[in-house]
Amino acid sequence: MMRTCYILSLLASVSATPAFVFHSSIKDQIYKSSDFDSRSLLESIPPPEDGKKNVIFVLERTDDGAEALSMLAAAKKLQKIETLPYEAHSHVSKIDSVTNIIRQVDILSGRKGSAASTPLSSLSDALDAKNDGSKFRKNTYVVKVSQENAGDIDSVVDTVVSRPDVSSVLLTAIRSFSEVKADRLQKLQKKPTANRARRLDQADDADDAYNGFDGSRYYVSMTPNILAGLLFFFFFVMSAIVGLGCMNRIEGQEVFTDKSPPVGREA
């Protein structure tokens, strides 16, 4: 039974995080190597049964920014968990924070406030609390486990899984800094390099604006030179209108004579 956790620790890569799912319908240790994101993983967990709750344990990163669950599995600190029936996922991506998990649980349940965060020390009190029948009752608790309490997660999960009022348990960890960097690098590589320049169509059939259209290329409506020309044109027109208007308001005499008026006499 320890073989699965050991393989899980070996296959956990910088681009993914492992996860364990515990549910009464799981009768054996199942290992899945397919890629999952956080939303797909939460969708695979059955909703809590009537009067029961789901619990999600999320381990914080280690001091050096590594993912903590695979480190515990490699150090053989999950001995009680290794004896339980579970569904193990070796590649789960996009587990960013507890807040994001709570938001996704609310979206999947269709009701805001169905999930709540609770510290590990208060988990027993939260599970023992009875629902008051209101529509705002919590049926999923997300527990963020710090590095100080990571060593106790083995016994805590074993105790919570054995509780009759718990339907499903998920054990995972926040993704490492290496996964964050790899995700950002992948997004940068997917960005097209042609979105900052205007491509001119010089083909013979340039009348067809969509001829030879490439979805990876981006086009702009005008170049900076065209925009500068239009701004200068409008500025020149406004200056001309103002200048002509000012000149038109200059008034002069309406009658002109051949003889100049006498000195000292106004015209």
Side-chain angles (χ1 to χ4, degrees):
M1 295 207 175
M2 297 176 62
R3 183 170 59 89
T4 303
C5 287
Y6 179 70
I7 295 176
L8 186 67
S9 65
L10 292 179
L11 294 182
S13 62
V14 296
S15 60
T17 301
F20 292 95
V21 179
F22 305 90
H23 189 261
S24 59
S25 61
I26 302 175
K27 303 301 182 181
D28 197 1
Q29 293 184 353
I30 304 172
Y31 175 74
K32 293 187 177 181
S33 60
S34 56
D35 294 337
F36 276 76
D37 57 11
S38 58
R39 185 181 180 90
S40 301
L41 178 64
L42 294 175
E43 288 177 348
S44 65
I45 300 175
E49 302 171 1
D50 294 339
K52 296 185 178 182
K53 304 178 182 67
N54 287 351
V55 181
I56 301 175
F57 293 96
V58 183
L59 296 173
E60 286 185 340
R61 299 186 184 98
T62 59
D63 295 335
D64 56 353
E67 177 267 312
L69 183 55
S70 60
M71 303 292 290
L72 291 177
K76 298 182 180 180
K77 294 183 177 180
L78 303 178
Q79 296 181 1
K80 293 183 179 180
I81 292 178
E82 291 167 354
T83 61
L84 300 174
Y86 55 75
E87 184 178 275
H89 300 267
S90 62
H91 294 80
V92 182
S93 60
K94 299 180 180 179
I95 299 181
D96 300 321
S97 62
V98 171
T99 304
N100 188 28
I101 293 178
I102 293 176
R103 185 184 303 111
Q104 292 182 8
V105 171
D106 289 341
I107 294 175
L108 293 175
S109 64
R111 180 171 59 87
K112 187 176 181 180
S114 61
S117 175
T118 181
L120 184 61
S121 58
S122 304
L123 178 60
S124 298
D125 297 336
L127 294 177
D128 293 336
K130 301 296 183 181
N131 292 329
D132 55 0
S134 65
K135 63 179 181 179
F136 299 106
R137 63 181 183 273
K138 312 294 183 183
N139 53 21
T140 301
Y141 288 98
V142 183
V143 183
K144 187 175 183 180
V145 183
S146 62
Q147 283 301 301
E148 291 78 8
N149 300 322
D152 302 330
I153 193 63
D154 186 31
S155 58
V156 171
V157 171
D158 181 57
T159 303
V160 174
V161 169
S162 61
R163 288 179 62 110
D165 56 349
V166 174
S167 178
S168 300
V169 176
L170 170 62
L171 174 61
T172 185
I174 297 177
R175 62 178 182 172
S176 63
F177 288 143
S178 300
E179 181 185 346
V180 176
K181 293 178 181 178
D183 188 26
R184 292 178 180 176
L185 181 61
Q186 186 179 9
K187 289 180 180 179
L188 290 175
Q189 291 176 349
K190 287 183 178 180
K191 274 190 176 181
T193 58
N195 60 348
R196 298 174 183 266
R198 181 174 182 264
R199 296 179 175 267
L200 300 178
D201 187 6
Q202 297 179 353
D204 296 334
D205 50 354
D207 294 335
D208 186 3
Y210 296 94
N211 183 49
F213 175 77
D214 185 1
S216 63
R217 298 179 180 179
Y218 290 80
Y219 296 84
V220 295
S221 302
M222 64 181 66
T223 62
N225 293 336
I226 296 176
L227 180 61
L230 291 176
L231 293 177
F232 177 80
F233 172 76
F234 289 121
F235 175 77
F236 176 80
V237 170
M238 292 299 299
S239 300
I241 293 175
V242 173
L244 293 176
C246 292
M247 293 178 64
N248 190 39
R249 294 180 63 88
I250 298 176
E251 296 181 358
Q253 59 186 34
E254 299 178 355
V255 179
F256 298 88
T257 59
D258 295 334
K259 294 183 179 180
S260 300
V263 178
R265 182 179 176 182
E266 296 180 356

